[in-house]
Amino acid sequence: MESSAAETSAQAQPIINWELAASTAARLTPAGPVLKPAEIGAAVDNLRLMADISVPHVHDITGLEAARDLRDSSVLVVDRASWARANTQSFAVMLKPAMEKMLEGRHGTVSPGAASVSGAITGSQLGAILAFLSSKVLGQYDPFSALAENSTAPAAGRLLLVAPNIISVEREINVEPEDFRLWVCLHEQTHRVQFAAAPWLRHHMLDEIENLSGQLLGNVDSLLERASAAAKSLKDRSADGTGPSRGAILDLLQNPEEKAALSRLTALMSLLEGHANVVMDAVDASIVPSVKTIRQRFSSRAKDHGVIEKFIRSLLGLDAKMRQYSDGAKFVREVVDVAGMEGFNTVWESADKLPSEAEIHDSRLWLERMGH
């Protein structure tokens, strides 16, 4: 009886201590810009206003009727620690199926004490990563927040605007705050509209994440060995000036099934990010008066990362995310040039109309498959 109780206790221990991840991120998150209480309140109100103003522009540019009614999701203006905590909740949703499979697989092999220590280690590690990211992210649409345990989020999720980061960047590149905030909101609200236009997309993405995480975590016996190899490869490639294609960890933690799963997710993220960038690029001075200056200074800023930050960005695949913006945007522009915006928008109709990674890089393949 005691042995059975111990096994049950071990199984109940989370593989990742999500609460510790959130508290670690809050503790390690760098301080944001110094603002007086009145300035904070004014910035929050202005960001909410810019978020509202951006939606009709997204509708005009994309032609997506979903932009007319976004009441099933919400906009939150948050600080860095709140962004990190929100992401621990979403990660818990995304990884739940794979974690449950891992718990079943280790039944009777892990003591409660060892399980607790393991969860604390992974929680602390995730918290450190989120702390780093928390000062980089300007905004994020989270379609999974409503699925989190005890969630109060609306059914379709929420858009998070990270106020201290937006203010830091607008000060750093010395641009008009209202213009920059509207420019950022145009990109982020496009993601909100994408999921509203394709209600099936949230669960499709969850299925793909479950597939990939299940592949990776299902091979847990070799996970540490492959992670070590990934880190060594990153160090070697950084030394000789060559960079990994997607971020070293994602590059090397793959068998053929993992490659296929990652390819589908890469294509989807490239589409979502590229489409949002096309919306931003369609904005002219009649919408954002100083948009040309903002684009120039924001692009130049991305080239100034320090050596340590470049290493971390490469390890986490953040530079790959920037490539997703350009690859996906190129696909969207090429499709719109041939099929028009209405023809492109068929991509939101069903999962079988999403482009593959090969089609992202060669839009003619997708156009031919869709009969254009």
Side-chain angles (χ1 to χ4, degrees), residues 12-58:
Q13 296 289 339
I15 292 173
I16 298 176
N17 186 324
W18 300 110
E19 184 59 37
L20 182 58
S23 61
T24 299
R27 179 168 50 85
L28 298 179
T29 293
V34 177
L35 295 170
K36 297 176 181 178
E39 292 175 318
I40 294 173
V44 169
D45 289 344
N46 186 246
L47 280 167
R48 287 179 178 147
L49 176 62
M50 293 301 105
D52 288 341
I53 290 174
S54 65
V55 175
H57 296 305
V58 174

Side-chain angles (χ1 to χ4, degrees), residues 11-205:
Q11 283 187 287
Q13 296 289 339
I15 292 173
I16 298 176
N17 186 324
W18 300 110
E19 184 59 37
L20 182 58
S23 61
T24 299
R27 179 168 50 85
L28 298 179
T29 293
V34 177
L35 295 170
K36 297 176 181 178
E39 292 175 318
I40 294 173
V44 169
D45 289 344
N46 186 246
L47 280 167
R48 287 179 178 147
L49 176 62
M50 293 301 105
D52 288 341
I53 290 174
S54 65
V55 175
H57 296 305
V58 174
H59 175 261
D60 291 342
I61 295 168
T62 65
L64 290 171
E65 285 302 304
R68 291 190 183 276
D69 189 355
L70 295 173
R71 288 177 296 178
D72 60 347
S73 61
S74 62
V75 177
L76 295 181
V77 181
V78 300
D79 59 18
R80 292 169 175 175
S82 297
W83 175 86
R85 177 170 290 278
N87 272 267
T88 63
Q89 295 166 351
S90 291
F91 285 157
V93 170
M94 290 185 281
L95 296 177
K96 182 179 180 180
M99 295 296 187
E100 288 177 344
K101 289 179 182 178
M102 282 190 69
L103 284 171
E104 291 173 6
R106 74 184 192 183
H107 178 74
T109 63
V110 181
S111 69
S116 178
V117 170
S118 175
I121 291 172
T122 52
S124 296
Q125 291 171 337
L126 176 60
I129 292 171
L130 289 173
F132 170 78
L133 295 176
S134 70
S135 64
K136 312 298 176 188
V137 176
L138 301 182
Q140 173 190 352
Y141 183 64
D142 177 3
F144 307 125
S145 54
L147 304 177
E149 188 175 351
N150 299 321
S151 174
T152 58
R158 59 195 179 192
L159 171 62
L160 307 176
L161 297 173
V162 191
N165 297 347
I166 294 172
I167 294 170
S168 290
V169 174
E170 69 192 27
R171 289 179 173 182
E172 178 187 338
I173 62 178
N174 192 26
V175 292
E176 174 59 36
E178 284 204 356
D179 283 6
F180 182 71
R181 294 168 190 177
L182 178 57
W183 188 69
V184 169
C185 287
L186 286 161
H187 180 103
E188 302 304 337
Q189 288 283 36
T190 300
H191 289 314
R192 192 178 174 204
V193 170
Q194 290 164 347
F195 282 86
W200 52 268
L201 184 56
R202 174 172 65 173
H203 285 287
H204 172 75
M205 183 179 287

Side-chain angles (χ1 to χ4, degrees), residues 139 228 265 271 354:
S228 177
L265 266 178
L271 172 70
L354 291 173

